[in-house]
Amino acid sequence: MDYNILIGGAAGQGMDTLATVFSKILHKSGLCLFTLQDYMSRVRGGHNYYQIRFSDTFVKSHREDLDGIIALNQETLDLHIGRLKQDGFILADENVTSKDSRLITIPAALIAKEVGNVKTTSSVTLGFLCKLFSIESTFMGDIFSGMFAESVAKQNIESFTRGQALTESKYKASKARPGKTMLVHGNHGIALGALAAGLRFYSAYPMTPSTTIMSFLAKKAKAAKVIVEQAEDEIAAIHMAIGASYTGVRAMTGTSGGGFSLMVEALGFAGIAEIPVVIALIQRPGPATGLPTRTEQSDLMYAINASHGEFGRMVIALRNPEDAFYQTARAFNIADKYQMPVILLGDQYLADAVQTVKAFDIDKIKIERHLAEPKPYLNGKDYNRYELTQSGISPRLIPGLVPGTAVNIDSDEHDVHGNITEAADVRNSMVEKRARKFERLKREVMEPELLGDDSMDILLLGWGSIYSQLSEAVDILNQNSKRKYGALVFGDIWPFPQTTLIEKARIVKKIINVEQNHDGQLARLVREVTGIQMDGSVLRYDGHPLSPAEIARKVKEI
Amino acid sequence: MDKKHKFETIETAWCPGCGNFAILDALKETLTELKVKPHEVLIVGGIGQAAKTPQYLNVNGYESLHGRALPPAAAAKIANQKLKVIVNTGDGDSYGEGGNHFIHNIRRNVDITHFVHDNQIYGLTKGQSSPTSDLGHITDFTPEGVIDRPINPVATAIALGAGFVARAFTGDKEHLMEMMKEALNHNGYALVDILQPCVSFNKVNTFAWYSKRVYKLTEGKKYDSTDKGAAFQKALEWGDKIPLGILYREEKKSYTDHFDFLKTTTLLELPHDKKVVRGFIEEFF
């Protein structure tokens, strides 16, 4: 089974509740789902929709053709009817009209009024949907009492039951939950990964689509004993994170492109002062304000190159919520080990797409702090914050721990003690020391994940969240095909892992980059680092995510 | 006692006669009197001549970027309350480049002490006007004289609800030390705007210029530093007469006082609780 429905309306029409509760019902029923959210940058009105695709096995991505449309207004029907399958349905209240025979109208608002609460209108629709898809409703009581006061919950149950009575079951939803699963979006993965890694301090400024990391952390702050501080601007946000990190706690900030631009000077500061910091950069279409609520992967080259001067940083592109969880936790270990900034690249698609994933395993998370042992210094050894070592990594001591010892850090070039210097030889040794750390980091970058056929003729390249669509696109392409398709999707992307790519590039007939941007930034990076040229590109930059079918179609055209 | 357990100053790159020396000396003596240890102190500076202060004392030093001393200082204090966190930086750094942080750290009210070395001029960049330069001041960038009205840092701080606002002058070390001590003992954000001559680039606001104008609030009529109205009135006084002393003082909860889990321990010392995070994950099952 594989169903795909769209719920659309104007902001403020109760679409969020409808979609959220329906998602919860599907999840509780043991089904897997993938939701795509499309909303405009406004609080009221506009056209917004959710697409919920569900199945009895993991759903990799969204798809375009629809089995059903739940139209809360006329506009939803008019805009999306073209994507509705021949045997699909449109569910709407009596205010929506169409000559199309697939339209089913129900008096949801009227029923809700009769029940005594117009706000339960969406529960009538929910009841109808659940019955239509043969989804059991035994836990509806729990869901509603978790959301509302007792009397309101009762009204919702009544509306739900009356909605069920309006239809027969048409679709059969089997249930075969593949093991222990979670219903999360990518930003949940980041926030939970950070908490699992021992995050203690998060400072940020609200910016779509990164905001939900902070709102989740804020909700958990008290129980988790984490400080979550809304800074006055992104400059303060990153400087606070760096300041907290200096004292020895794990600290992080998160933003989108515009806010990251404000953070860039501090990024270089973390580089020269060698203070670990983790930055979640959740991309949206730019430049400037761009398309605030939509998706794009256009900050790759920026994340790699941001800041004046030269210093090492790591950039990790997050591929899916699970990856977000494990990679975020790993980012803290890398930041601590190499005493440098680590940038996590997400995007709106990953941030907002609520999906069923394999349950995160916290026991797989190892916390590796790489802090200097105070003992030798307590015994009188001289401490030098920027001691020159073969690895380039200097002992990082927590300030305040050792009497008679000062931990000095500096944004100016400095000597081993952390004191300002302009001596040419010291400058050289410090630049080289920082560069050695980056060289060492190259040894532990992870190769891209291979999807599809290992002995492929056509190699698709992607990075980050396009993993979702590519994993399904490759399946589509390999169906009844003489040609064999495979894909490499980069997670670790700077330093750039090149071994697998170089190996595959030798044997394939064509290499095609698939990206959510105009310039083909991955193609540029690959060419710059390896000299490998693409034979074609699949790019989209209108703010909407490529779909697997669309990728397959466009790849075949090349 | 071993030398490194006492506060020691280190050779500086300041001009002979610079007001910064008096501040550094006063700070060293005040910290010694307060019986804190050098390793328990963190001094944060931005960029500028004043901001080099952490380099010249054997304490934990954090030289941030220009204008960015307050955010890391606040965060460091939140992370480890056992550190005595002090910001030493200039008027350009505090009120110009870092103006937004100045405003919001007053709101945040973290228990840090902010000593502004206010010489009404940019020294490190060799003589441009600063946010506190008086109208008409002729500088490199303002050959016709400054036309932008100066910021009044003490009045601004009082208006924003700061719990401790004082002014001192490098020409009166004893009083400066008293202000430093009171500020360091205040729970919450404390501002001391320290008037300081720049011998190289400010030929208007000289040692003599300040000496002629300053007077102590404690001289003459009794001054009540908890009266916000009176404080605001005194804060606006500038020109022929410039008041020194604690302009305003109000006890209130500092940032970390709001967190029960920081009452008995520091953020730094909290052990990682895997069980709690496991619980968060299970909420999504």
Side-chain angles (χ1 to χ4, degrees), chain A residues 27 180-184 188 195-196 198 200 220 227 229-233 235-236 239-240 242-243 246-247 249 265 269 359 362-363 367 399-400 402-412 418-420, chain B residues 4-5 39 42 47 52 54-55 58-65 68 71-72 74-76 78-80 83 100-101 104-105 108 255 259 261-262 267-268 270-272 274 276-278 280-281 283-285:
Chain A
H27 180 64
K180 208 175 248 182
T181 62
M182 295 169 78
L183 186 62
V184 290
H188 286 137
L195 291 170
R200 282 278 168 246
K220 302 297 181 199
I227 295 288
E229 176 66 4
Q230 182 177 340
E232 55 271 31
D233 52 36
I235 299 173
H239 277 287
M240 290 188 85
I242 296 171
Y246 161 79
T247 65
V249 302
E265 193 190 14
F269 170 62
I362 194 172
D363 294 323
I367 298 177
V402 181
T405 291
V407 182
N408 286 314
I409 61 98
D410 205 322
S411 70
D412 276 274
N419 289 328
I420 297 179
Chain B
K4 57 186 188 177
H5 298 285
H39 75 283
L42 168 64
I47 293 295
K52 288 178 182 164
Q55 294 267 321
N58 59 335
V59 298
N60 295 296
Y62 188 118
E63 201 192 75
S64 187
L65 293 172
R68 318 299 170 207
I78 294 168
N80 184 2
L83 291 172
N100 202 23
H101 312 312
H104 292 277
N105 277 286
R108 205 166 268 134
Y255 184 93
F259 299 91
F261 62 85
L262 294 179
L267 205 56
L268 177 67
L270 279 168
H272 179 52
K274 201 162 149 180
V276 173
V277 185
R278 196 189 298 277
F280 297 156
I281 292 173
E283 285 170 24
F284 290 93
F285 282 7

Side-chain angles (χ1 to χ4, degrees), chain A residues 374-395:
Chain A
K375 209 170 162 195
Y377 306 107
L378 285 164
N379 292 336
K381 189 181 173 194
D382 278 339
Y383 175 71
N384 292 314
R385 175 64 191 91
Y386 299 106
E387 189 182 315
L388 295 171
T389 60
Q390 209 176 7
S391 63
I393 301 165
S394 310

Side-chain angles (χ1 to χ4, degrees), chain B residues 33 81-83 216 245:
Chain B
E33 277 183 28
Q81 294 162 82
K82 286 183 181 167
L83 291 172
K216 288 186 202 128

Side-chain angles (χ1 to χ4, degrees), chain A residues 519-536:
Chain A
D519 291 356
Q521 298 191 19
L522 176 64
R524 197 169 125 196
L525 181 64
V526 167
R527 196 168 60 239
E528 183 185 307
V529 180
T530 66
I532 296 167
Q533 304 261 12
M534 298 300 126
D535 300 291

